Amino acid sequence: MTEPILRVDGVVKAFGGLHAVNDVSFEVGKGMIVGLIGPNGAGKTTIFNVISGYYAPTRGRVFFKGSDISGLPPYALAKMGIGRTFQVVKPFPGLSVLENVMVASLCRHPRKHDARRHAWDILEFTGLGPRAHDAAASLTLPGRKRLEISKALALEPQLLLLDEVVAGLNPTEADRTIELILKLRDQGISILIVEHIMRVIMNISDQVVVLNFGQQIALGKPVEVVKDPVVIEAYLGEEAA
Amino acid sequence: MLLLPQALVDGLLIGGIYITIAIGFSLAYGVMHIIDFAVGEWIMLGAFLGLYLSQWTQVEPLLLLPVVFVVFAVLGYLFQPVIHRVLSGKKGNPLLMALVFTFGLAIAFKGLGLTVFGFFSRSIPSAMAADSFTFVRGDFFVTIPVIRLIGLAYAIAVTLALSWILKRTDFGLAVQALAQNKEAAGLMGISAKRTNSWVYGIYVGISAMSGVLIGCMFSISAQMGGKYTVFSFFVVVLAGMGFLAGVPWAAFLLGMVQSFFLIYFDPGYTLLAVFIILYAVLLISPKGLFGKGV
Amino acid sequence: MRRGIFAFWLFIGLMAVVPAFVQNAFVLRIVTELFMWIGLAITWDVMAGYAGYLNFGHGAFFGAGAYTTAILMMRCGWTFAATLPVAGLLAGLAALLAGIPTLRLKGAYFAIATWALALAIQQLALVLDITGGPDGMRLPPFLHPVFFFYVMLAVAAVTFLLLWLLLERASFGLKLKAIREDEAGAMALGLNPARIKIQAFVLSAVPAGVLGGIYAFWITFIDPASVLADIITDQAMVMAVFGGLGTLLGPVIGAIVVFSFKTLFWAYLADYQVLYLIILGVVIALTVVFLPNGIWGTLTGQIQARNALIKGMAIDPAQGRHPEQGADSND
């Protein structure tokens, strides 16, 4: 395999004396889906925030297509081709659904007219087209999660960071979202996904990284990871699925 | 050089007053997240109430402080629901709207003050205003007006009382819980509405009382509000917004700046210096001198 | 949108012929000043309505512009026209310097800092020699009301057009609104909030400076108590808030209503000048409580709601597939 899209190399993130993430290393190859799992408070969102530029790593480095991006601000990374969603969804409530996506589209299509057309295409793809003119605040949770993905996609990213986009959806909606994620993978977008629901991660991931209390306790194919006694112990009582 | 002790003492004494015009404001911000542009106007209105009350009753104005406090605390308590309504509005950005609201309030109060009290400057006659202590040692000398000493004592008393209330009473615990986490406080059965009303009442009451003291030391006028709003803002921003423990230090710093400019430079440059310090602090340590603002 | 452009040029055209029919100096003067207030109100709204930052020192940019023109004309012998770009640039520079530390912080700090800045600039004008201190400055009288009418109209119209192009037509307004709604979220979409906010702040300051420059030459006397008074910001703010934040037309309508009221008030009730302050303050406070979207926002909101209702009944949502696709702009 050539240079991966994303390489996380010994990343440490400390808040005060507390290590939220300690020495985490993994790679996301082109066109791969890598799952990031772990119990609550394992540091999944923290590592997302480090990769997407919201936190600078205390130690270690993050490489995107071979170049060091540690400590770059989020907007620079968005321009380079890293799109992310937020676990706590962040729509612009006062803007319409279409305008929400247009803001992201402007990244690659600086003219408003082009951005509008691009945003329509994205909404069409993610199935939010009929809601385009509604205020983002009027969307229900599944709609908001879909809007999160739409906005990240509108950046035309090469790497997509998805933070709990399935959690909280009913089974039908969850399946639709999973279908969408696989479609994106088939288009060549590399995906790093955080998810609570094991079933989802195990079915779609090529690789799985397991975190526990900020430590990386396992890395490998889903079938191998589920058999790992360390992982089983970390999840004992935590996850029955 | 000979005036240095005087400058330091003056700075300390003036600083005391600035504690009292900023501490209630900082508390209100910490709990309700409201920036009250009318803080200087509450001070102005309190000062005039003190003036008229003392003229009418012929009672020493300093003895009227509790009366002024109660009147304005009640006013603030009754007024808070309106602010609460703005802050919990769904449309636009409620915090911004609240800012605009208090700004409008400040303008209206100022107009009211000008209408009722006129354009002239007054001062509140206190029996304590004339006396002063003078200390001489060698070439150095320091004069301390009694009224200013009382002002400092008042400031310390208010600060201690407030910190006692916040740390030792159930009400204080409720206030702190509310400042830290609105939802959790709500779950614990704390009524945000009621507590906020008390906080706002206390803040308005303290500010109005401080106005009376200011009136005994300096002159008061219907236009004085803006200046004290600036000073109040300065202290609170320097202390870190909502960080009460920082208030006394920032207040003393402002007092020192003012007394040094009065004695050594041109007092006309005081506000400029204040702004430059504010600017520098925002640039270097945006969350106040102690980095603990919210 | 075509209709909007047409309305704009129609309004400008109508205004442009006013001096041909109205010789009354008082009326000309009132309308000239109205143009100035429209300019101040729409520029104030760039920060407040679009970016979500309240600038309590907008009047300082106006005053800085007024003093720039006065100083360059009186102390350096420049011609009036040459001073205006400098007045605008200087106001923009002041915005840049004031914005860098404060726009990184929450809105509260910005509000306080801009207010303090305005007071500091007023103090500066009071103590400096070059500004004439409290005595102010007198400019050579140039008694051509029609000239000032057209200059003020031109600057206000250009400002409106510029803001419309940038905020409504181009993407800048959308970016600002995104930042207003959620700064952290906007960063993930490739927006650099610090830079965009500074750009907006400078954009709002420059026209204010130019308007100040014109005002100085028009009124021929300026002092810190007039061109640097709080009331300038206060009034621009009432106009914008009352008219409707976050729109361009709202502040224009607000300016027309509030300024007409002020003119009538001062014409008939000049003895009760301070009452005006009370009314101004109460209007702001009541607008915030009862009409948070302003007159224009409330009106258009209702129209939009009604249109949506009609549309919803007329078009089957299943086949009502994005009618706007390919349309140039529907803002």
Side-chain angles (χ1 to χ4, degrees), chain B residues 35 37 91 96-97 99-101 103-104 107 111-112 114-115 229-230 233 241 268 271-272 275 279 282-283 286 294, chain C residues 52 54 56 97 101-102 104-106 108 112 115 117 119-120 123-124 234 237 274 277-278 281 284-285 288 292-293:
Chain B
I35 294 196
F37 262 95
K91 282 174 179 165
L96 288 188
M97 291 319 249
L99 258 176
V100 176
F101 178 76
F103 196 70
I107 297 173
L112 195 68
L114 286 170
T115 313
T229 305
V230 177
F233 282 0
M241 294 187 52
L271 262 184
L272 272 179
F275 178 74
Y279 185 85
L282 284 179
L283 201 60
V294 286
Chain C
L54 293 181
F56 286 100
L97 288 179
T102 53
R104 289 184 310 177
L105 298 160
K106 270 198 231 163
I112 290 177
W115 202 53
L117 172 72
L119 284 162
Q123 288 296 308
L124 192 67
D234 301 351
M237 197 165 128
V274 283
L277 270 187
I278 304 182
I284 301 185
V288 169
N293 293 324

Side-chain angles (χ1 to χ4, degrees), chain A residues 94-153:
Chain A
L95 304 184
S96 71
V97 170
L98 177 68
E99 285 172 322
N100 264 270
V101 180
M102 273 174 70
V103 172
S105 296
L106 285 168
C107 190
R108 302 275 173 248
H109 307 273
R111 293 194 50 213
K112 199 175 176 181
H113 172 73
D114 302 337
R116 182 187 302 274
R117 182 163 292 188
H118 182 254
W120 268 118
D121 292 343
I122 298 283
L123 287 177
E124 188 91 330
F125 180 74
T126 56
L128 273 178
R131 304 297 306 267
H133 289 298
D134 297 347
S138 72
L139 292 178
T140 52
L141 184 73
R144 287 178 186 213
K145 293 211 165 190
R146 206 149 267 260
L147 178 59
E148 277 291 300
I149 300 178
S150 309
K151 283 155 80 174
L153 275 184

